[in-house]
Amino acid sequence: MQRIEAHASHGGVQEVWQHRSAVLDCELRFGIYLPPQAQAGPCPVLYWLSGLTCSEQNFITKAGAQRYAAEHGLIVVAPDTSPRGADVANVDSYDLGQGAGFYLNATREPWSRHYRMHDYVVDELPALVEANFPATAARAVSGHSMGGHGALVLALRNPGRYRSVSAFSPIVAPSQVPWGEKAFGNYLGEDRAAWLEWDACALVAGAAERLPLLVDQGEADEFLATQLRPELLEQACDAAGHPLLLRRRAGYDHSYYFIASFLDEHFAHHAQALRRG
């Protein structure tokens, strides 16, 4: 691994590392914030998954997360949103290809060679973090938009892997909205039954673990009615008896202004879960 950035912040350090990913078969970067408590011993880890068009930079530079990570003694890991590189499949579109990995394992060519973000975030990245940084095996996951979809799906697909999960403006039913239909059709093929393995609304029905879902959604979000549709998650959780706290925030949009406004509450939610057991 190579450290390419280091910045003092709130008594800790915000770093960016680059490494060769065996799962993705490319070079990839991730941000990691080490709080001041990490100088004394291992700390639990919150994984943050960003949305369409983002890299590891967006969250670490816009959200103000370092303050809350330092307050609660959490390491925060923010991976890139897709594999990268000249030999990685891509198209001239913001919602498919590089910058739009959708946190799934692609099964269709040409995407299947590199686009395995689920396995990267769930397995390879935590192994790397826990082997090279003062990190415990206590993990939480959160994200925004496409990354909110990723956080929900990763938690629902991997019972016992995370102590807590939350999301801002998640794509809760990708198999039913344009962003997800485009991505899933390309990455997974035309069999819509296979799509349901990566759809939070479908997964809650058979979830083996009733991990509570915390979701914040801005009511002035320009994608609310067409791409996000939180009411579908509400209906699915009601039908399955799955715990969900869905908070609709009047006046807030899809931007990092929204995330920064309520991020402290999400950090408190995760810190409480990560301190248990």
Side-chain angles (χ1 to χ4, degrees), residues 102 145-146 148-150 152-153 156 167-177 179-180 184 195-196 198-204 213-217 223-224 227-237 244 246:
F102 271 83
S145 194
M146 178 187 71
H149 142 75
L152 296 174
V153 167
L156 291 165
F168 289 87
S169 314
I171 307 169
V172 301
S175 64
Q176 301 182 54
V177 300
W179 277 340
F184 286 10
W195 296 8
L196 300 182
W198 306 99
D199 185 303
C201 285
L203 290 170
V204 293
L213 311 181
L214 171 62
V215 175
D216 271 288
Q217 174 62 61
F223 304 112
L224 179 59
Q227 304 283 9
L228 308 179
R229 304 194 63 190
E231 72 280 359
L232 296 179
L233 182 63
E234 198 167 40
Q235 294 164 13
C237 287
L244 166 68
L246 172 59

Side-chain angles (χ1 to χ4, degrees), residues 48-183:
W48 172 270
L49 309 181
S50 290
L52 289 168
T53 76
C54 293
S55 70
E56 82 288 343
Q57 289 290 324
N58 298 71
F59 181 70
I60 67 176
T61 58
K62 293 181 178 181
Q66 294 83 359
R67 172 186 175 185
Y68 308 119
E71 177 184 341
H72 294 289
L74 302 183
I75 293 172
V76 180
V77 175
D80 203 342
T81 56
S82 77
R84 302 279 183 175
D87 64 338
V88 174
N90 197 25
V91 294
D92 186 17
S93 175
Y94 80 95
D95 54 0
L96 184 69
Q98 294 187 36
F102 271 83
Y103 303 101
L104 51 71
N105 292 335
T107 57
R108 188 182 185 190
E109 292 292 343
W111 312 101
S112 55
R113 176 185 168 192
H114 297 284
Y115 284 75
R116 302 186 63 81
M117 288 299 293
H118 172 274
D119 286 357
Y120 175 73
V121 175
V122 171
D123 296 315
E124 186 179 27
L125 183 58
L128 189 72
V129 168
E130 290 162 24
N132 292 279
F133 299 94
T136 72
R139 310 174 197 94
V141 64
S142 186
H144 172 237
S145 194
M146 178 187 71
H149 142 75
L152 296 174
V153 167
L154 265 57
L156 291 165
R157 284 177 58 98
N158 297 278
R161 190 69 171 161
Y162 303 100
R163 301 275 184 90
S164 56
V165 57
S166 74
F168 289 87
S169 314
I171 307 169
V172 301
S175 64
Q176 301 182 54
V177 300
W179 277 340
E181 289 177 327
K182 180 177 181 177

Side-chain angles (χ1 to χ4, degrees), residues 1-5 15-21 26-32 56 80 84 120 125 128 133:
M1 294 195 305
Q2 179 185 7
R3 188 175 71 175
I4 58 177
E5 288 186 36
E15 300 180 342
V16 176
W17 289 77
Q18 181 168 299
H19 73 108
R20 181 76 188 181
S21 166
C26 69
E27 294 285 327
L28 206 68
R29 294 181 178 184
F30 64 91
I32 183 167
E56 82 288 343
D80 203 342
R84 302 279 183 175
Y120 175 73
L125 183 58
L128 189 72
F133 299 94

